[in-house]
Amino acid sequence: QKEVEQDPGPLSVPEGAIVSLNCTYSNSAFQYFMWYRQYSRKGPELLMYTYSSGNKEDGRFTAQVDKSSKYISLFIRDSQPSDSATYLCAMSAQVTDKLIFGTGTRLQVFP
Amino acid sequence: KAGVTQTPRYLIKTRGQQVTLSCSPISGHRSVSWYQQTPGQGLQFLFEYFSETQRNKGNFPGRFSGRQFSNSRSEMNVSTLELGDSALYLCASSPTVSPGDTQYFGPGTRLTVL
């Protein structure tokens, strides 16, 4: 079993839909959680960073962490075709630890 | 400010050969991490360098090695290439080593091993 599990998709939604992307993890020591977006032929770029449990909102994006369920989510409101990309979750236990990534979920938003 | 640059962008090698990939971090960034990305395994951490010292290493065989120079530029080397080494190799830089620091990724080097 991988430390971080993520549904590969693809997830196909119409423009304007609310998108929910999720990751589960097995290591209860993880406390730093990130979401990256990767466009085709590009490197990943950091979207959201959360420490420990709770919610964080940035524009149309909301990150949620539920440490009791070992489950994190990224919500995208009013999705746009420009949101079409692969979304990767990543996490680590300590500040100095390496990041463990999920395999990514491919999202397609059609007009 | 220029982003992370990686050279070459594409590379084709044959089994048994060795390869060296280069990464130039964003100016002022002292931490450089390398990742291997494949469709089946996703992004896997290779190693991290900070101020010319390797701080962390992932679970890859000794054929994978790296180094960082005094100007923070980094190279990774893969010796005795295997078919399974075909992947996108990504380099990321950040100012320090905290995961709270944004890691900026380069576009990657696409390595194909025939």
Side-chain angles (χ1 to χ4, degrees), chain B residues 56-111:
Chain B
N56 265 316
K57 190 175 190 305
N59 297 324
F60 279 81
R63 300 186 296 108
F64 292 81
S65 63
R67 59 178 175 168
Q68 186 180 33
F69 302 96
S70 59
N71 61 359
S72 294
R73 192 177 69 84
S74 178
E75 287 181 349
M76 69 162 280
N77 185 278
V78 188
S79 62
T80 319
L81 284 166
E82 300 177 0
L83 294 178
D85 297 333
S86 294
L88 181 67
Y89 289 88
L90 290 158
C91 162
S93 78
S94 59
T96 64
V97 296
S98 166
D101 276 351
T102 299
Q103 278 200 329
Y104 294 88
F105 281 83
T109 294
R110 172 76 61 187
L111 172 65

Side-chain angles (χ1 to χ4, degrees), chain A residues 20-79:
Chain A
S20 172
L21 303 165
N22 312 296
C23 286
T24 58
Y25 61 94
S26 57
N27 188 345
S28 58
F30 285 149
Q31 50 182 347
Y32 297 91
F33 304 94
M34 289 132 226
W35 285 96
Y36 285 81
R37 177 175 62 196
Q38 185 174 21
Y39 290 114
S40 180
R41 303 185 194 281
K42 301 277 190 183
E45 56 178 329
L46 182 66
L47 269 180
M48 302 284 284
Y49 163 66
T50 311
Y51 170 69
S52 194
S53 285
N55 293 1
K56 186 173 184 178
E57 189 174 319
D58 184 1
R60 297 185 294 111
F61 299 89
T62 299
Q64 278 187 356
V65 175
D66 182 349
K67 291 187 72 179
S68 62
S69 302
K70 299 193 185 72
Y71 189 88
I72 68 170
S73 300
L74 177 71
F75 297 96
I76 306 174
R77 290 184 300 280
D78 188 25
S79 56

Side-chain angles (χ1 to χ4, degrees), chain B residues 1 14 18 23 26 29-30 33 38 41 47 49 51 54 60 71 76 85 97 102-104 106-107 112:
Chain B
K1 191 185 270 191
T14 57
Q18 76 163 17
C23 171
I26 291 172
H29 287 193
R30 296 166 62 195
S33 297
T38 58
Q41 297 297 317
F47 22 69
Y49 289 89
S51 294
Q54 187 180 89
F60 279 81
N71 61 359
M76 69 162 280
D85 297 333
V97 296
T102 299
Q103 278 200 329
Y104 294 88
T112 301

Side-chain angles (χ1 to χ4, degrees), chain B residues 13-52:
Chain B
K13 292 285 188 179
T14 57
R15 278 180 299 173
Q17 287 187 307
Q18 76 163 17
V19 66
T20 298
L21 311 181
S22 181
C23 171
S24 292
I26 291 172
S27 177
H29 287 193
R30 296 166 62 195
S31 172
V32 173
S33 297
W34 287 90
Y35 296 85
Q36 181 195 67
Q37 187 174 33
T38 58
Q41 297 297 317
L43 258 169
Q44 291 187 285
F45 174 81
L46 280 157
F47 22 69
E48 178 191 18
Y49 289 89
F50 181 75
S51 294
E52 300 179 71

